[in-house]
Amino acid sequence: MAEFRGTTILAVKRDGKLAVAGDGQITLNETIIKHRAVKVRKLYNSNIIVGFAGATADALNLFDRFESKLERFNGNLTR
């Protein structure tokens, strides 16, 4: 069975600054099917940065659900 995959996300924190990046590549088995996927996004008025790797379709759905919860709880991550 064909399986979609998301790949690399990297985060680095140094001197109080944070950098988050993704490779932008999505594969289906051994074939690269997308070169410019947006794997790092800003949510909740650009106050929260998220990235995904792994099961791409599930991750995109979870982004949407996470963002709706952030809106519901005014950006309170612990809720």
Side-chain angles (χ1 to χ4, degrees), residues 3-5 25-35:
E3 183 178 324
F4 287 96
R5 295 177 185 243
Q25 181 173 294
I26 295 175
T27 58
L28 176 61
N29 292 330
E30 300 298 319
T31 305
I32 299 169
I33 61 170
K34 189 165 187 174
H35 293 278

Side-chain angles (χ1 to χ4, degrees), residues 4-20:
F4 287 96
R5 295 177 185 243
T7 53
T8 308
I9 295 295
L10 177 67
V12 177
K13 185 175 182 180
R14 183 174 178 190
D15 298 328
K17 295 183 180 182
L18 178 68
V20 181

Side-chain angles (χ1 to χ4, degrees), residues 9-75:
I9 295 295
L10 177 67
V12 177
K13 185 175 182 180
R14 183 174 178 190
D15 298 328
K17 295 183 180 182
L18 178 68
V20 181
D23 66 353
Q25 181 173 294
I26 295 175
T27 58
L28 176 61
N29 292 330
E30 300 298 319
T31 305
I32 299 169
I33 61 170
K34 189 165 187 174
H35 293 278
R36 294 187 187 109
V38 179
K39 294 183 181 181
V40 177
R41 296 184 186 182
K42 294 178 184 179
L43 301 179
Y44 194 69
N45 303 316
S46 297
N47 290 316
I48 297 171
I49 298 173
V50 295
F52 73 87
T56 307
D58 291 339
L60 293 172
N61 182 41
L62 289 173
F63 269 141
D64 293 337
R65 293 179 65 190
F66 182 54
E67 187 165 30
S68 70
K69 292 289 185 181
L70 286 171
E71 292 294 332
R72 180 174 173 196
F73 295 110
N74 298 315

